[in-house]
Amino acid sequence: MIRSHVLLCGGTGCTSSGSGKIQAALEAELKAKGLEEEVKIVVTGCFGLCAVGPIMIVYPEGTFYSMVQESDVAEIVEEHLLKGRPVERLIYAEHHDAIEEKVTSLADTTFYKKQKRVALRNCGYINPEVIDEYIAMDGYQALGKVLTEMTPDDVIKCILDSGLRGRGGGGFPTGRKWMFAQAQPQGKKYVVCNADEGDPGAFMDRSILEGDPHAVLEAMAIAGYAIGADEGYIYVRAEYPIAIHRLEVAIAQAREYGLLGKDIFGTGFNFDIQLRFGAGAFVCGEETALLTSIEGNRGEPRPRPPFPAVKGLFGKPTIINNVETYANITQIILNGPEWFASMGTEKSKGTKVFALGGKITNTGLVEIPMGTTLREVVEEIGGGIPNGKKFKAAQTGGPSGGCIPESLYDTPIDYDSLIAIGSMMGSGGLIVMDEDTCMVDIARFFLDFTVDESCGKCTPCRVGTRRLLEILDKIIAGNGTLEDIDKLEELCYYIKSASLCGLGQTAPNPVLSTLKYFRHEYEAHVVDKKCPAGVCKDLLSYIVIEDKCKGCTACARVCPVGAISGAVKQPHVIDTAKCIKCGACIEKCKFNAIVKQ
Amino acid sequence: MKKKLTTVMFRGTKAQEEQLIAVIEKYRDTEGAMMPVLQEAQEIYGYLPIEVQKIIAQRMDVSLEEVYGVASFYSQFSLNPKGEVAIAVCLGTACYVKGAGDIIDRISLKLGGLAAGDTSPDGKYSLEATRCIGACGLAPVLTVNGEVYGRLVKEDVDGILDKYM
Ligand SMILES: Cc1cc2nc3c(=O)[nH]c(=O)nc-3n(C[C@H](O)[C@H](O)[C@H](O)COP(=O)(O)O)c2cc1C
Ligand code: SF4
Ligand code: SF4
Ligand code: SF4
Ligand code: FES
Ligand code: FES
């Protein structure tokens, strides 16, 4: 008899922080105590609170343990699983105004309370490598319903009525896309899933694939039925080994159960799915480049029209949707389009998954109803900014998006509101920045990325982004002028209008939005030759405050280039010409005698 | 995308070549086979030197330019062998905002100025700046020979590297 379930997170975050070792230790310990028949280990996908991983939840109590170490396993087994006494010190605690509060159950955390889990419904609840667990959560019911009770037109109408828009960044209505592909003459058609997730710092799609792969497979089969396709491809990044493994397992199990392959549910409908691996080119997330890459070529975008719905993979009509878009489909079919449309705002229905990162307490994965404000996401769900620092900006949309300043903290998160303030929804990366982040440096960071990732096919993007980067470098080095700022802006508009694909058309956004909201920081770099956030090295110098220095020599010993001199018990001096600004001396000085300014 | 070419001598074995040929055969009838072949070739050799690209071009009956064109386009394909101690620092946005830049500087300094993208002349160390490895919740992160180290502060660097020195 199983009397306890131990859910252990096997997402990439927790795997990196050691959940594999915990699993092994747990198995051994349960065996040693003869509990194998009573306690079942369920390795799940990401719970969302990766910041405090590895995470373990013990049911039926629902006890939520965080930052579990291999060495804690024996105690958990002995105390909790054997004697029924939860291990207090490992229970997750929330900090409210410096008061620590233990939160026993995951569902009671502030992190979870404001969330609404649709696309992530199974992540962290089921073992993604066991198809029966998915089926137990109504898995493959939507496919059954579609194949036996609905016509392809019904399916498309249902998706149209739900108001679902693409979650990969563009926000195109999914039902419309399917309708175009369905309207093409019968014959070979394809269903493609975009799992290339190129925005660095975002991991929504990966977590869905790792935590609930069947949800995507089932939705792709539904899409196949709707548009008349019998073959699907998932283009997934090769850098996602766990996601790839779980997809392979899921596809094999679905085939074994007759849920993929020939004559599904005895209805005569055939559909199968293959995997293709991306190889780390951001531009391959762009749909036409992705198709070119599946065909085995350099992933260069092609001009649209023709749109993939008309002429896509191998020249055939193709729909291409994002992972999270697919993850919503089965729920829309089962609960009805009205249910879905009841969540969110007028033009942005449903929920959106975000990967919270940067200077925020609860880094991890959240799913919120569209229209939730940025402030709620950062301050409540995200637990605010750590170390008592102040919020400066949030960045959404990755290298194609923009920064949102504090003055717009109450902006509702939906497609149109974000575009209106010069950012974009993007695929779901949400990076929080505090007062220690330099906005010019961040703009430079993204431009460095796009210069590297530009495929080089068209000149405005290839040459233009490089010019932008050069100007930013000049500003950061303290050699910029006010004219450079104007030139920067002008060039941005040119690149936006003249580039061939979305990469080039959006590449200037990080510069434009920081210029719009943080122009004073640019001006400080060029006029005062100062970096207000204290980041840009060329504009800083390290100096010893004579009065505070005790002459302990600690700094001189740690300096890697011998830039510090001074006799014992005498004030030391830094030779700014030699100093490489590594910061090692500041860390070493116990008397706070070294400052950068 | 800019890629550096290696100066390290190619040391492929006969057995590796046979494995590679088997891979090419496996994908003989697959549409768009170039990417999977290159991916598996990189698993066999650890990188894709020109010698390997030549075998692929010849066996798949395409030009070397075409193979090189694809291999150099994607950042996952490495034309350089990795060091015995292969260090990769994530410079994705989440890690960058949390100070990954300082971490890579510190490692570079510690390895005698080894730049990102380079392998030390003795083949012992390689340093790479990667894009998000998906452990953003633990940012900033680095990996050494695949082992992940997260929630780093730059003072952790010395301790981690010392384990491999
Ligand atoms: C440079 C660039 C990168 C993109 N990267 C991604 C990506 O990583 N994942 C994704 O789903 N869509 C990405 N897109 C959007 C796709 O082109 C496409 O719109 C999307 O996959 C369509 O699916 P959806 O309608 O379900 O969102 C990218 C677009 C551009 C221009
Ligand atoms: S805009 Fe940039 S990425 Fe897109 S086709 Fe032109 S060069 Fe390539
Ligand atoms: S570590 Fe601080 S107190 Fe000691 S010599 Fe250096 S500056 Fe002076
Ligand atoms: S910042 Fe680094 S290089 Fe400069 S004085 Fe301090 S320890 Fe030396
Ligand atoms: S990976 Fe474990 S909580 Fe996200
Ligand atoms: S940005 Fe570094 S792991 Fe994601």
Side-chain angles (χ1 to χ4, degrees):
Chain A
M1 250 285 282
I2 305 279
R3 59 174 178 82
S4 253
H5 284 81
V6 177
L7 270 61
L8 182 64
C9 181
T12 296
C14 292
T15 303
S16 306
S17 52
S19 69
K21 284 185 199 148
I22 295 174
Q23 185 189 351
L26 194 57
E27 278 164 4
E29 198 63 28
L30 288 178
K31 197 155 178 228
K33 294 271 189 301
L35 290 173
E36 304 134 283
E37 303 294 317
E38 293 172 43
V39 179
K40 189 173 168 207
I41 306 173
V42 182
V43 177
T44 70
C46 176
F47 284 97
L49 252 181
C50 319
V52 293
I55 283 175
M56 182 193 279
I57 301 184
V58 181
Y59 284 105
E61 304 89 323
T63 312
F64 175 27
Y65 291 132
S66 61
M67 290 203 164
V68 178
Q69 297 297 311
E70 194 183 348
S71 54
D72 297 325
V73 169
E75 188 179 345
I76 294 173
V77 171
E78 174 74 28
E79 288 297 311
H80 191 157
L81 298 172
L82 210 57
K83 300 184 181 152
R85 295 191 297 231
V87 183
E88 233 4 79
R89 66 179 178 91
L90 294 173
I91 292 179
Y92 173 74
E94 263 174 13
H95 298 264
H96 298 288
D97 304 323
I99 299 165
E100 192 185 88
E101 256 175 60
K102 292 275 183 190
V103 186
T104 323
S105 157
L106 186 66
D108 291 336
T109 56
T110 321
F111 180 72
Y112 271 76
K113 267 191 248 160
K114 284 219 160 180
Q115 293 195 46
K116 174 94 192 130
R117 302 200 139 208
V118 178
L120 297 179
R121 66 194 173 278
N122 289 331
C123 290
Y125 288 100
I126 64 169
N127 181 338
E129 297 190 18
V130 180
I131 191 171
D132 299 295
E133 296 203 8
Y134 178 67
I135 291 173
M137 303 295 286
D138 300 336
Y140 289 102
Q141 257 189 33
L143 181 60
K145 178 172 170 185
V146 161
L147 294 183
T148 55
E149 297 169 23
M150 295 169 84
T151 65
D153 287 330
D154 293 339
V155 176
I156 288 176
K157 179 157 189 319
C158 175
I159 302 301
L160 269 176
D161 289 347
S162 74
L164 175 65
R165 294 169 67 176
R167 301 298 194 235
F172 191 81
T174 307
R176 285 247 294 282
K177 193 183 275 189
W178 293 17
M179 200 168 68
F180 291 141
Q182 190 207 25
Q184 296 303 307
Q186 282 186 4
K188 191 78 192 169
K189 294 181 187 176
Y190 293 100
V191 172
V192 173
C193 172
N194 186 344
D196 198 42
E197 198 157 51
D199 174 5
F203 53 103
M204 304 73 52
D205 296 347
R206 194 223 354 254
S207 298
I208 293 172
L209 297 175
E210 286 177 0
D212 199 15
H214 287 287
V216 174
L217 304 184
E218 185 180 359
M220 289 177 72
I222 292 171
Y225 175 74
I227 69 160
D230 64 356
E231 214 178 330
Y233 282 89
I234 302 178
Y235 187 86
V236 53
R237 293 176 52 158
E239 294 94 328
Y240 285 4
I242 301 178
I244 290 172
H245 171 72
R246 300 217 171 124
L247 279 170
E248 283 168 348
V249 170
I251 291 173
Q253 290 180 349
R255 282 185 189 144
E256 197 187 308
Y257 276 53
L259 297 165
L260 280 181
K262 295 245 177 297
D263 194 21
I264 299 173
F265 285 116
T267 58
F269 172 63
N270 306 327
F271 192 79
D272 212 341
I273 295 175
Q274 298 190 41
L275 299 181
R276 279 293 180 277
F277 305 128
F282 177 62
V283 70
C284 287
E286 195 279 332
E287 54 189 23
T288 61
L290 185 150
L291 298 177
T292 319
S293 178
I294 296 183
E295 291 163 2
N297 304 310
R298 290 165 64 96
E300 287 175 0
R302 350 193 235 238
R304 299 178 306 180
F307 285 92
V310 177
K311 199 162 176 286
L313 189 58
F314 305 115
K316 305 291 183 217
T318 302
I319 56 162
I320 168 161
N321 279 120
N322 165 263
V323 172
E324 188 187 334
T325 311
Y326 283 121
N328 282 294
I329 298 290
T330 60
Q331 299 306 296
I332 296 175
I333 300 281
L334 290 178
N335 302 326
E338 305 77 23
W339 162 81
F340 190 79
S342 72
M343 294 178 286
T345 63
E346 195 196 332
K347 288 193 178 143
S348 304
K349 300 299 186 190
T351 59
K352 179 76 194 85
V353 181
F354 281 96
L356 301 185
K359 306 284 184 68
I360 184 162
T361 307
N362 297 332
T363 51
L365 212 60
V366 302
E367 182 169 356
I368 48 156
M370 295 269 192
T372 308
T373 66
L374 179 62
R375 186 189 299 275
E376 287 172 281
V377 174
V378 175
E379 296 292 336
E380 297 179 32
I381 301 172
I385 321 290
N387 307 324
K389 298 272 179 175
K390 224 168 108 31
F391 174 89
K392 186 188 236 179
Q395 215 275 349
T396 60
S400 309
C403 291
I404 308 170
E406 203 200 352
S407 57
L408 297 170
Y409 217 1
D410 290 307
T411 306
I413 298 181
D414 63 54
Y415 292 100
D416 311 293
S417 306
L418 291 181
I419 295 276
I421 58 172
S423 185
M424 63 186 276
M425 180 79 88
S427 56
L430 201 167
I431 307 282
V432 178
M433 302 168 195
D434 68 8
E435 52 201 285
D436 294 338
T437 314
C438 168
M439 301 316 277
V440 185
D441 181 61
I442 284 296
R444 189 207 168 276
F445 168 79
F446 283 118
L447 255 296
D448 187 48
F449 179 91
T450 24
V451 165
D452 212 29
E453 295 295 339
S454 164
C455 80
K457 189 167 171 172
C458 66
T459 327
C461 167
R462 186 186 64 240
V463 180
T465 52
R466 183 153 294 149
R467 284 287 295 130
L468 285 183
L469 182 61
E470 283 164 12
I471 301 176
L472 288 169
D473 275 334
K474 195 174 156 196
I475 295 176
I476 278 173
N479 301 324
T481 59
L482 285 171
E483 290 79 68
D484 284 325
I485 301 183
D486 297 334
K487 238 192 296 176
L488 202 60
E489 208 161 5
E490 215 173 284
L491 194 53
C492 283
Y493 289 113
Y494 166 69
I495 298 171
K496 269 176 96 72
S497 61
S499 293
L500 174 65
C501 86
L503 189 148
Q505 289 156 9
T506 58
N509 288 352
V511 179
L512 284 174
S513 79
T514 46
L515 270 175
K516 182 168 174 187
Y517 299 116
F518 298 96
R519 202 181 186 94
H520 53 277
E521 286 197 27
Y522 281 84
E523 286 166 358
H525 284 71
V526 303
V527 180
D528 315 331
K529 310 288 174 202
K530 286 263 178 268
C531 173
V535 172
C536 298
K537 289 196 171 147
D538 291 334
L539 299 179
L540 293 177
S541 40
Y542 284 75
I543 50 165
V544 178
I545 305 171
E546 214 184 303
D547 296 348
K548 286 193 177 174
C549 177
K550 305 266 186 258
C552 74
T553 77
C555 59
R557 275 179 280 134
V558 77
C559 178
V561 292
I564 309 181
S565 55
V568 185
K569 301 219 172 119
Q570 292 299 312
H572 281 48
V573 221
I574 296 176
D575 178 351
T576 42
K578 264 195 191 169
C579 169
I580 57 164
K581 298 165 188 172
C582 70
C585 53
I586 288 205
E587 288 156 28
K588 269 284 172 288
C589 179
K590 289 196 204 82
F591 308 96
N592 296 328
I594 304 179
V595 290
K596 52 179 181 180
Q597 48 175 235
Chain B
M1 230 166 286
K2 45 190 188 259
K3 286 219 174 181
K4 287 186 188 145
L5 284 175
T6 181
T7 46
V8 178
M9 211 177 62
F10 178 59
R11 291 202 197 83
T13 63
K14 197 81 206 150
Q16 284 175 321
E17 187 168 337
E18 278 162 18
Q19 261 179 293
L20 176 59
I21 292 169
V23 166
I24 296 169
E25 284 310 311
K26 181 170 82 178
Y27 288 108
R28 174 87 39 216
D29 298 318
T30 307
E31 271 180 296
M34 180 65 78
M35 296 274 289
V37 166
L38 288 175
Q39 274 154 344
E40 293 197 27
Q42 177 151 307
E43 270 170 41
I44 296 170
Y45 290 93
Y47 70 120
L48 294 174
I50 201 76
E51 291 81 358
V52 171
Q53 296 176 40
K54 277 185 189 150
I55 303 173
I56 294 172
Q58 204 179 21
R59 294 269 166 175
M60 288 181 69
D61 209 17
V62 295
S63 69
L64 180 61
E65 284 72 37
E66 194 174 320
V67 179
Y68 178 77
V70 176
S72 58
F73 185 82
Y74 296 97
S75 61
Q76 185 210 356
F77 297 132
S78 167
L79 308 181
N80 247 319
K82 293 219 164 76
E84 275 165 59
V85 179
I87 305 162
V89 180
C90 177
L91 280 192
T93 319
C95 290
Y96 185 76
V97 169
K98 286 196 151 181
D102 289 339
I103 289 179
I104 204 163
D105 287 350
R106 182 86 157 226
I107 296 174
S108 171
L109 194 67
K110 187 133 166 118
L111 297 178
L114 190 68
D118 277 351
T119 303
S120 62
D122 59 2
K124 176 122 204 244
Y125 300 102
S126 58
L127 179 60
E128 204 187 342
T130 58
R131 297 283 157 67
C132 182
I133 62 161
C136 322
L138 309 177
V141 298
L142 64 81
T143 64
V144 184
N145 297 341
E147 175 103 11
V148 184
Y149 297 88
R151 300 183 187 118
L152 298 172
V153 288
K154 60 179 185 288
E155 297 81 71
D156 293 335
V157 165
D158 297 10
I160 293 170
L161 290 190
D162 286 345
K163 287 208 244 173
Y164 299 88
M165 294 217 155

